[in-house]
Amino acid sequence: MEPPHHRAEIVFGAVAFGAALVLLALLGRETTWVNGQPLTRQPGFWPAVSIGGMLLCGAAELFRVWRRDRHAGGAPIGPELVRWLRAGEFVAWFMAYVWLVPQLGYLPVTLAFCAILAWRLGYRSARILWMALATGLTVVVVFKSLLKVSIPGGAVYEALPQTLRNFMILYL
C-alpha cells in the first residue's frame, strides 16, 4: 500500500517559488553589472544563475505536485501544515538563546537551555538532565577554550570580581 500523498508540498513549492520571484525582482537593486566585464565576471552573474535555478526548480516542483495531487488526491493540507509550524517553536527557542547569551553569558545560558530543551523533549530523569548539563558544559569548554571561538561575555559578567570576570569571558 502506498503512503498518502503529502498535499502540503504544494504550499512549500509555492512559498519557495514566491521567494525566488521576490529575489528576482530585487536582483537589479542588490547586485551590479559592470560595463566592460565579461559575463561570468559580473557581480550579478552567479546570483542571477542561482535565482534562475530556483525559479526553474520551483516551477518544476509546483507542476509535479499539482499534477500528482490532481490525479491521486492525498491527505488534507491542514494537519501537515500544523506539523510544519510546530517546528517554529524550536526557532523561537534558538532566537531566545541568541538574545540571552550577550545578556547572561554563554555558559549559564547554554547550561540552562540544554536542561530546558531536554525537559521540553520529554526527558525527565535526573540522569538525563545531568547528561544534558554535562553536554552543555562540554560544548562551552570545547568552543571557548579549545577552539578559541570568540563569543562576547555576558553583560552580567560585569558584576563579577575582575579575576573571575576575565576567566569567564576568556574560557567560559
Side-chain angles (χ1 to χ4, degrees):
M1 181 171 138
E2 224 177 282
H5 295 292
H6 300 285
R7 294 190 60 176
E9 286 177 358
I10 199 154
V11 175
F12 174 80
V15 168
F17 187 72
L21 286 174
V22 168
L23 290 173
L24 179 64
L26 294 173
L27 186 64
R29 290 185 7 200
E30 298 296 326
T31 60
T32 58
W33 296 89
V34 180
N35 290 332
Q37 287 284 343
L39 180 64
T40 57
R41 306 243 7 223
Q42 293 288 340
F45 176 71
W46 290 110
V49 168
S50 300
I51 292 170
M54 287 174 64
L55 286 169
L56 183 64
C57 291
E61 171 71 4
L62 274 176
F63 178 72
R64 183 190 68 81
V65 171
W66 171 77
R67 198 176 84 204
R68 183 200 62 208
D69 287 351
R70 191 175 55 127
H71 294 300
I77 292 176
E80 188 173 350
L81 286 180
V82 168
R83 187 179 316 149
W84 290 2
L85 292 174
R86 287 181 59 196
E89 172 195 353
F90 294 96
V91 173
W93 281 107
F94 178 72
M95 294 309 295
Y97 176 81
V98 167
W99 184 79
L100 285 171
V101 165
Q103 313 302 319
L104 303 176
Y106 186 45
L107 176 65
V109 173
T110 301
L111 293 178
F113 270 74
C114 283
I116 291 167
L117 286 174
W119 184 273
R120 168 61 187 91
L121 291 171
Y123 298 103
R124 302 289 194 267
S125 74
R127 184 176 142 264
I128 295 293
L129 293 175
W130 279 110
M131 287 172 58
L133 290 171
T135 300
L137 181 61
T138 302
V139 166
V140 170
V141 168
V142 166
F143 274 78
K144 289 285 282 197
S145 300
L146 301 177
L147 297 177
K148 304 280 190 233
V149 174
S150 178
I151 298 170
V156 78
Y157 290 174
E158 297 299 325
L160 297 173
Q162 186 69 26
T163 309
L164 183 57
R165 177 188 165 277
N166 290 344
F167 176 78
M168 293 293 284
I169 288 174
L170 289 176
Y171 301 108
L172 300 175

